[in-house]
Amino acid sequence: MNIFSAIIDAMLSFIRNNPLTVVIIVMLAVFVPSLFGAMLIGLLVVLLLLVAWPVFMLLRLRREARRMEKEASGRDFSGGYYTRREYRRTTPRDSDEGEVTVYTTSVREKRVKSDVGDYVDFEEVKGKEETRQ
């Protein structure tokens, strides 16, 4: 019962503080009920989204936390650090410990032809103000 009296008090204070807005809303409801209904439905949808979106995100976050807990419960974390490859559960390649593999790329030709453009050598020149100092 206390919540209803709080809602009524809030409505009355809104009417007292915004009489012109209330008059416009009442005129819309009386003279253009279809527009008033559409505006009311739009307002209700926006309010529903403002309330439903955080609730939806909270439920999704909890579901994701449960999924992560379920995945982590089957693992043994006493071994210490896991590499990204082990975390993805892919099997590493069979290689000897200490073996080093070097990948090189081939040298490609220049993309720009040699006859295109000129080389300009710039040199810094001091202005009149800088030479005085």
Side-chain angles (χ1 to χ4, degrees), residues 4-33:
F4 293 121
S5 63
I7 292 172
I8 291 172
D9 287 340
M11 288 172 56
L12 289 175
S13 67
F14 179 79
I15 292 170
R16 255 186 263 122
N17 293 334
N18 304 305
L20 184 61
T21 305
V22 172
V23 168
I24 291 172
I25 290 172
V26 169
M27 287 177 64
L28 273 173
V30 171
F31 296 117
V32 192

Side-chain angles (χ1 to χ4, degrees), residues 8-72:
I8 291 172
D9 287 340
M11 288 172 56
L12 289 175
S13 67
F14 179 79
I15 292 170
R16 255 186 263 122
N17 293 334
N18 304 305
L20 184 61
T21 305
V22 172
V23 168
I24 291 172
I25 290 172
V26 169
M27 287 177 64
L28 273 173
V30 171
F31 296 117
V32 192
S34 60
L35 179 65
F36 178 75
M39 287 174 49
L40 188 64
I41 290 172
L43 180 67
L44 289 175
V45 166
V46 168
L47 288 175
L48 181 67
L49 286 176
L50 287 175
V51 171
W53 184 254
V55 171
F56 172 74
M57 293 307 288
L58 180 67
L59 292 175
R60 187 172 174 193
L61 184 65
R62 285 184 180 171
R63 182 175 9 140
E64 192 66 22
R66 278 192 220 111
R67 185 189 63 80
M68 290 172 70
E69 284 178 5
K70 186 178 177 184
E71 281 185 9

Side-chain angles (χ1 to χ4, degrees), residues 105-111:
T105 59
S106 61
V107 178
R108 296 183 182 176
E109 292 182 27
K110 292 173 62 177
R111 292 186 181 190

